[in-house]
Amino acid sequence: MTEDMLDPDRYWFAKSAIRVAKFARKFPGLTSAFLGLVAACGYPPLHGWWIALPALALFVAHLRTAQSARGALWRGWMFGLAHLTLANNWIATAFTYQAKMPELLGWAAVPLLCLYLAIYPGLAALAAHLVSRRAGPFAFGAVFAAAWIVTEWVRSWAFTGYPWPPLGLMLLGGWHAQGFAALLPVLGTYALSGLAILLATIAVVLIMERRIVLSAGFAAIVAAFMLIPTAKEGRNSDVRYTLVQPLITQDEINDGSKFEAQFQRLASLTGPSEVSRIVFWPEGTIPDYLEEGYPQRYYDRMTVRNPATGLGDPQFARERIGQVIGDQSVLLTGVVNLDIGTRDDSVLGAITARNSVVGINPSGDLTHHYAKAHLVPYGEYLPMEWALGYLGLSRLSAGSIPYDPGPGPQTLDIGEYGKAGVQICYEIVFSGQVVDQSNRPDYLFNPSNDGWFGTWGPPQHLAQARMRAIEEGLPVLRSTTTGISAVIDADGIVRAHIPTGLADSREGLIPAAKPPTLFARFGNSLPLAWATLLALLGLGLPRLLALRASRS
């Protein structure tokens, strides 16, 4: 059927579709980029899954029409470039707080990063074309979903890894609904991304076959999964918590003249307690060094001084914190610790830093320590420093001391307060890398400074913490400087939260953990197994259909 054969009154929709198809064939890269932008609207804060999934379906159909491997790679890369640039626009906001660099560099940094990140969707598109270009739409979509799972998993660890955001994030329901993320315990995050492509493929097949009733029913089922809230509320443990959000904005977090006021705000929100509890303070709220053994010149920079000596004194600072939390409390809080001359490639006396969480008891003793393993690109290190440093970019965290990564997931045994797994800031987004499997915690503590990241970063960060909770069957407690702080149960439901821009605290009982999920037992071997199954389905389905046709 051609455009000239259509009655404009009766077939206006078909004529429009033909014109769109002509445009897509003429401008495949631009079409892919547009669909990538629309699909990124499925993530928080917009959470427009209802428009993102149709855009993804159109991209699957568009990708299937690629005439060459180069064309498929180009379409996948352009989709990824636009998609990931919009989703990661919060990185640019962070540059507004770095006086050494013009804000314009921040808006350049995001697409520069995504020039690399888009390689992975491009490779997935290329794999689907090479393997299934002659297959039917469902077989093609199954192979594309399998390839996406594998490439997204690789993106999570290659060159230190950057998985933000996984495509499956658009399938997470609202704060009190799981959506398709209810399947995370048996799929894993990267297989959930494959499910998003599979759902889009089913929509393509139904529309191509003009199954109007089935298409409407399929849309209703998807909507029901995404919108129906989780009815039950899970059990609680017997561990009481106080979660603090002090509202220390990025404009004042490094202002020495405000450090004492910030501490007093923390103290007042923490308050005394007559019952045993664990207190959670966020990342970036204690500017002073609390460990012993540094050269005095580092303690001289402290805002807290021992009145007896007039000198910066880490013991005095810790004891003051112990007095704030009270006799029946322990504290987990973010700090910066130093390593003096311990880096293998450094000269004697060189200094490196660790973004850390420490435990402090009422006596002011440091009882536990965790060092962040996944450092933030641009924040704590500069990716491709050889190129971006030449352009004038530098990392965004204050100071010039380089950060060293920690060893990875650890569980801190805090006695009567249970076993805490710690993931600092964006470490929580790394699926399969947040729990010490040999020593499973009772809950995860995720302190963060989200004040860098504008309006898009914090809700996406919270959503990915919810995915870790569902995936691992563990509650997550998020304490942030500016919001969104939250208590998330093991079903990923937000039990309590503190909105952005509010200084406040929350108290209650930590939700109970669930038994280890299938994903908790097998990790990312689980989504890779699903990828294998989808690939086999995509490869085998055309043969089965051909065999059936020959027998009939």
Side-chain angles (χ1 to χ4, degrees), residues 60-382:
V60 172
H62 178 56
L63 177 62
R64 188 167 171 264
T65 64
Q67 299 299 306
S68 66
R70 182 179 179 180
L73 179 64
W74 173 246
R75 294 180 191 203
W77 187 81
M78 285 297 291
F79 176 90
L81 178 62
H83 182 81
L84 293 167
T85 297
L86 179 58
N88 285 284
N89 72 77
W90 55 268
I91 295 176
T93 308
F95 281 79
T96 63
Y97 300 104
Q98 173 57 283
K100 295 180 180 179
M101 293 177 289
E103 294 181 17
L104 182 63
L105 284 179
W107 295 105
V110 179
L112 281 172
L113 174 64
C114 293
L115 288 174
Y116 156 69
L117 297 178
I119 292 172
Y120 297 97
L123 291 175
L126 175 62
H129 174 83
L130 292 176
V131 173
S132 300
R133 62 184 179 275
R134 294 185 180 91
F138 186 81
F140 178 86
V143 172
F144 183 38
W148 190 287
I149 291 170
V150 174
T151 55
E152 194 170 83
W153 168 71
V154 172
R155 178 161 68 95
S156 74
W157 55 261
F159 304 107
T160 76
Y162 187 77
W164 188 313
L167 189 68
L169 184 63
M170 67 175 63
L171 297 182
L172 178 67
W175 284 13
H176 300 286
Q178 294 174 308
F180 284 93
L183 300 174
L184 279 170
V186 297
L187 292 181
T189 289
Y190 307 124
L192 188 68
S193 296
L195 177 62
I197 292 174
L198 209 57
L199 291 173
T201 299
I202 292 171
V204 169
V205 172
L206 292 175
I207 292 172
M208 287 179 62
E209 296 182 357
R210 299 180 182 179
R211 304 290 184 90
I212 305 302
V213 175
L214 286 178
S215 296
F218 177 71
I221 291 172
V222 171
F225 262 94
M226 293 300 297
L227 296 175
I228 294 177
T230 300
K232 62 187 178 82
E233 185 171 294
R235 297 178 300 106
N236 289 325
S237 71
D238 57 1
V239 178
R240 185 166 293 277
Y241 71 85
T242 297
L243 183 80
V244 178
Q245 178 174 297
L247 190 57
I248 301 176
T249 65
Q250 208 59 34
D251 293 325
E252 68 173 43
I253 199 167
N254 295 312
D255 185 346
S257 67
K258 297 183 178 179
F259 285 166
E260 183 59 24
Q262 293 168 7
F263 180 81
Q264 294 302 326
R265 195 180 312 153
L266 273 170
S268 64
L269 290 170
T270 301
S273 177
E274 297 181 357
V275 296
S276 181
R277 63 172 180 173
I278 182 169
V279 179
F280 298 105
W281 288 357
E283 176 190 33
T285 52
I286 297 182
D288 296 325
Y289 298 120
L290 300 182
E291 285 190 324
E292 304 282 350
Y294 303 164
Q296 184 59 41
R297 66 180 182 274
Y298 290 98
Y299 299 130
D300 289 341
R301 302 174 186 177
M302 294 173 60
T303 58
V304 179
R305 295 183 177 271
N306 189 329
T309 63
L311 299 175
D313 183 342
Q315 181 178 349
F316 178 81
R318 295 194 309 268
E319 289 175 350
R320 189 169 77 141
I321 292 173
Q323 292 172 2
V324 166
I325 63 174
D327 291 338
Q328 299 194 68
S329 303
V330 297
L331 170 70
L332 289 181
T333 182
V335 296
V336 173
N337 290 328
L338 301 178
D339 289 313
I340 312 295
T342 58
R343 207 177 195 183
D344 291 340
D345 59 351
S346 66
V347 298
L348 184 63
I351 308 296
T352 58
R354 289 167 283 128
N355 189 350
S356 304
V357 161
V358 296
I360 302 177
N361 66 19
S363 300
D365 301 320
L366 295 179
T367 58
H368 300 84
H369 175 262
Y370 169 82
K372 185 178 184 180
H374 281 290
L375 303 180
V376 179
Y378 297 111
E380 292 156 322
Y381 76 96
L382 188 65

Side-chain angles (χ1 to χ4, degrees), residues 469-531:
I470 302 170
E471 199 171 51
E472 297 285 352
L474 292 173
V476 177
L477 294 99
R478 298 196 73 236
S479 176
T480 71
T481 49
T482 58
I484 308 166
S485 299
V487 178
I488 306 164
D489 70 16
D491 289 315
I493 304 304
V494 178
R495 294 270 202 98
H497 79 284
I498 307 173
T500 299
L502 182 66
D504 208 346
S505 62
R506 294 289 181 267
E507 296 182 344
L509 295 174
I510 295 178
K514 287 187 167 185
T517 64
L518 198 64
F519 180 86
R521 295 179 184 278
F522 294 100
N524 280 320
S525 60
L526 189 61
L528 294 178
W530 283 109

